[in-house]
Amino acid sequence: MANELPFETALVEMRKKIDELKQFGSEKGIDFTDEIARLEERYTRLEEEVYTSISPSQKMHLARHQQRPTSLDFIQAIFTDFMELHGDRLYGDDMAIVGGLAKLNGVPVTVVGHQRGKDMKDNIARFFGSPHPEGFRKALRLMQQADKFKRPIITFIDTKGAYPGNTAEERGQSEAIARNLRDMMLFNVPIICVVIGEGGSGGALGLGVGNRVLMLENAIYSVISPNGAASILWKDASKADQAAEAMKITADDLLGMEIIEEIIPEPRGGAHKDLTMQADLIKAALQKHLEELKELSPEQLREDRYHKFRKIGKFTFEENL
């Protein structure tokens, strides 16, 4: 097992022992069937124990797993006839956001998502999935086109946050994100957002205003990354695990706070264990919610989005004594 996480070490070691016993038996012609069966049973019990008690910090590491499927992986697996479109028609093309036209079971849609790299070279080209303003403007251009031609919009969220450097600020980072928030609220077509990995800060919200917000089981979603929170609170980014435990960033937390509408299950061990299975689960959820949303008029879709976000955060007022 490559790229295993620390909490998976016991599973990796047991699997290694099972494989070694199988190989030894095959080479020596010895029947270890009963021993292997007992080890497999123990492995199954341990696997159940490990993956049913994952902490928020462990989910953070699963959400950031090097092999976790990206937006393009899911786009290729879920949709047909995908045609990627490039550029914001103002400055350039940001590879940290991908998008274009596709079909979901024959229905034309526009799909947009953050895109992390597959290796170091790719990550550098894509700014590790952290968009510049032209990325958000590209996304907005595609969504405006979808609204014009009455195509549903589907977004995949997977970023630690918008690019924090001077170049992004000089080109209007905050304005680009704010414009996306405003315009996504006003579109007349269904919008479904899926948090597939890490949804962090305004970089996530720039693609996150939808009628339905869904999350993969081990994804995280927060106003700031755990690393950023740790840097502010304790002046030490290495305390990200401690911050993750306190921030209520998991899908279960957000469903309980009514910030998201559905948790999409993941294969045991994470989405990277079985891309096909994970894509099928996402596709089924998208189809279900699109069927519900297509019954709403443009006015009802706008009203639905307004009320969804307006109800987030509950306040109580006390009279002055």
Side-chain angles (χ1 to χ4, degrees):
M1 185 186 296
N3 297 304
E4 69 275 2
L5 298 171
F7 69 91
E8 297 174 304
T9 301
L11 286 171
V12 174
E13 291 177 351
M14 185 172 288
R15 174 52 60 190
K16 184 179 179 181
K17 289 178 182 178
I18 293 171
D19 292 341
E20 287 175 350
L21 189 58
K22 287 180 178 178
Q23 183 177 356
F24 183 76
S26 176
E27 291 175 352
K28 302 299 183 181
I30 304 173
D31 186 5
F32 288 118
T33 303
D34 293 340
E35 290 82 354
I36 291 172
R38 282 194 294 270
L39 284 172
E40 290 283 8
E41 186 178 345
R42 285 174 56 194
Y43 180 87
T44 301
R45 288 199 303 269
L46 180 60
E47 188 178 46
E48 180 74 18
E49 183 180 316
V50 168
Y51 291 128
T52 55
S53 58
I54 302 176
S55 69
S57 61
Q58 289 169 340
K59 287 191 175 186
M60 176 185 72
H61 292 294
L62 275 174
R64 296 173 172 177
H65 198 286
Q66 183 180 344
Q67 295 178 335
R68 193 169 178 87
T70 65
S71 293
L72 282 176
D73 291 327
F74 285 130
I75 289 171
Q76 296 296 340
I78 295 170
F79 304 93
T80 58
D81 303 307
F82 175 61
M83 178 187 298
E84 186 175 357
L85 301 177
H86 298 272
D88 67 342
R89 301 297 186 267
L90 291 169
Y91 181 84
D93 187 38
D94 185 353
M95 293 176 65
I97 286 184
V98 296
L101 314 178
K103 289 183 179 178
L104 179 65
N105 278 353
V107 177
V109 298
T110 289
V111 58
V112 182
H114 300 100
Q115 181 63 29
R116 294 178 291 106
K118 289 289 191 178
D119 52 36
M120 183 55 68
K121 182 179 179 180
D122 196 21
N123 262 319
I124 290 172
R126 297 184 185 278
F127 298 99
F128 292 83
S130 295
H132 279 69
E134 53 269 26
F136 294 111
R137 290 173 182 140
K138 173 171 67 173
L140 181 60
R141 179 176 74 85
L142 298 182
M143 291 188 286
Q144 288 171 336
Q145 183 191 75
D147 189 54
K148 177 179 179 180
F149 292 102
K150 299 180 173 57
R151 289 191 298 265
I153 298 168
I154 296 166
T155 71
F156 291 120
I157 296 171
D158 187 16
T159 182
K160 292 182 180 180
Y163 188 75
N166 290 342
T167 54
E169 295 300 325
E170 290 166 356
R171 299 204 286 268
Q173 186 74 288
S174 58
E175 186 275 341
I177 294 173
R179 186 182 293 269
N180 278 29
L181 299 181
R182 183 195 68 181
D183 287 11
M184 290 183 78
M185 189 65 74
L186 299 174
F187 288 145
N188 295 312
V189 296
I191 304 176
I192 300 177
C193 310
V194 187
V195 185
I196 60 173
E198 181 173 12
S201 193
L205 285 177
L207 298 185
V209 180
N211 298 93
R212 301 289 183 270
V213 179
L214 319 178
M215 280 182 73
L216 297 194
E217 181 182 357
N218 294 315
I220 60 174
Y221 195 24
S222 60
V223 69
I224 189 173
S225 73
N227 305 72
S231 296
I232 293 171
L233 294 174
W234 298 294
K235 310 300 180 186
D236 185 356
S238 68
K239 293 186 177 180
D241 284 2
Q242 185 177 341
E245 297 289 340
M247 290 173 61
K248 305 296 184 185
I249 61 176
T250 68
D252 288 328
D253 292 326
L254 294 165
L255 184 65
M257 292 186 283
E258 299 183 3
I259 292 173
I260 66 170
E261 278 67 47
E262 182 178 343
I263 299 173
I264 302 174
E266 294 190 24
R268 180 166 290 175
H272 59 286
K273 299 290 186 180
D274 192 334
L275 171 60
T276 301
M277 177 182 175
Q278 187 65 79
D280 288 343
L281 290 168
I282 295 174
K283 185 175 183 179
L286 291 175
Q287 290 171 330
K288 180 184 74 172
H289 288 285
L290 279 178
E291 284 296 315
E292 295 172 0
L293 292 172
K294 77 177 185 180
E295 302 299 323
L296 303 182
S297 67
E299 293 77 13
Q300 289 172 324
L301 287 168
R302 294 197 303 271
E303 206 53 30
D304 176 76
R305 279 194 295 276
Y306 173 81
H307 288 295
K308 169 185 167 52
F309 286 92
R310 192 68 180 84
K311 72 180 181 182
I312 294 176
K314 297 178 181 178
F315 301 87
T316 58
F317 297 91
E318 295 183 6
E319 295 182 4
N320 294 327
L321 298 177

